Amino acid sequence: MREVKASANKMEQRSTETRARIVRAAYDLFCAHGFRATTMEAIGTAAGVSVQTVYFQFRTKNQVLQAVHEWTVLGDEGLPPERQSWYLHALAHPEAGTLLAAVVAGTASLNARIAPTLPIFATLAKEPQGDIYRASQRLRRDGMERLAEELRARQPLRSGLTSERAADILDFLIGPESYAALVLHAGWSAADWTTWVSDILLHQLFDRARGDEQNTPDE
């Protein structure tokens, strides 16, 4: 019985590893050549498996695209960003500025995977496959609303700024579109993007700048 269970576990592990290789290979090909130009055969070759194996793991190329996008967002942990270790660590910070900087830094690693896929979904915007990214955008916006509330709980927002408007600002500046424009296209480093976005957000969301927040006791 133990041998059967061990064998089943090994088969499941191999299947998981094969699926991961297919997803990574498809990600590279989609980013390099686009969704339409990439064939299931090419994905299999790049992953080192037969095309039959690709179809066994994913019945259609649309399902491959869905899995690729899920990996860019969920990462190897396979968890939503708000449940990933870096985000939970960020939430442990009692100061709004420190929390914000940690979230921006953590999101940079997500954007490094997501941003190269933006042209893929831009070409598919009017097709059903475009719903994959649109659904992700809605989830991201919901997450920004929760982040705005976490920040407001630590420090009052700038006078006249609503939580909804704060979420708009967070979504715009932290999103992969901002990362793509400055890092992928303008040549900024990820560190430069992280510092700039953190600084801009501090001035946009709060009445006090970073230095004032760190040096002024909590009210």
Side-chain angles (χ1 to χ4, degrees):
M1 183 67 179
R2 291 181 179 177
E3 292 180 356
V4 172
K5 186 175 181 179
S7 178
N9 289 339
K10 288 182 180 180
M11 290 180 61
E12 183 177 354
Q13 182 179 354
R14 285 197 296 269
S15 178
T16 299
E17 292 171 350
T18 297
R19 185 181 180 90
R21 287 205 311 275
I22 293 171
V23 169
R24 306 301 189 279
Y27 172 85
D28 291 340
L29 291 171
F30 289 159
C31 291
H33 307 295
F35 177 75
R36 295 190 182 91
T38 300
T39 65
M40 296 288 266
E41 289 80 4
I43 294 171
T45 299
V49 300
S50 68
V51 68
Q52 290 83 2
T53 299
V54 179
Y55 277 111
F56 178 78
Q57 293 283 347
F58 306 96
R59 291 182 297 174
T60 67
K61 194 164 66 166
N62 287 347
Q63 289 186 1
V64 177
L65 181 63
Q66 176 72 54
V68 165
H69 182 64
E70 288 177 356
W71 171 72
T72 65
V73 176
L74 306 182
D76 294 329
E77 291 184 69
L79 296 171
E82 291 181 31
R83 292 175 53 197
Q84 292 178 19
S85 56
W86 65 268
Y87 194 89
L88 296 176
H89 179 72
L91 288 180
H93 293 299
E95 295 180 349
T98 309
L99 164 60
L100 186 58
V103 169
V104 174
T107 305
S109 63
L110 302 185
N111 287 340
R113 295 192 300 265
I114 299 171
T117 70
L118 295 180
I120 300 169
F121 290 105
T123 63
L124 300 171
K126 295 183 179 180
E127 300 183 32
Q129 297 93 330
D131 290 337
I132 295 173
Y133 190 69
R134 283 188 288 271
S136 181
Q137 285 179 307
R138 290 190 292 270
L139 291 174
R140 187 181 76 209
R141 182 59 172 72
D142 292 343
M144 292 302 105
E145 291 180 3
R146 291 188 289 274
L147 176 57
E149 291 299 328
E150 291 284 351
L151 292 168
R152 190 176 72 165
R154 288 162 174 77
Q155 181 176 337
L157 297 177
R158 181 165 51 83
S159 178
L161 183 66
T162 65
S163 294
E164 182 178 2
R165 181 59 62 87
D168 291 338
I169 295 170
L170 287 164
D171 192 30
F172 178 76
L173 286 173
I174 299 180
E177 291 81 6
S178 163
Y179 186 95
L182 295 178
V183 177
L184 300 188
H185 303 307
W188 289 28
S189 69
D192 287 342
W193 178 86
T194 299
T195 299
W196 180 80
V197 170
S198 298
D199 288 343
I200 290 295
L201 284 172
L202 279 172
H203 286 85
Q204 287 295 311
L205 299 181
F206 306 109
D207 287 322
R208 293 177 294 182
R210 181 194 299 266
D212 295 332
E213 179 190 347
Q214 290 180 342
N215 296 324
T216 303
D218 291 340
E219 297 177 354

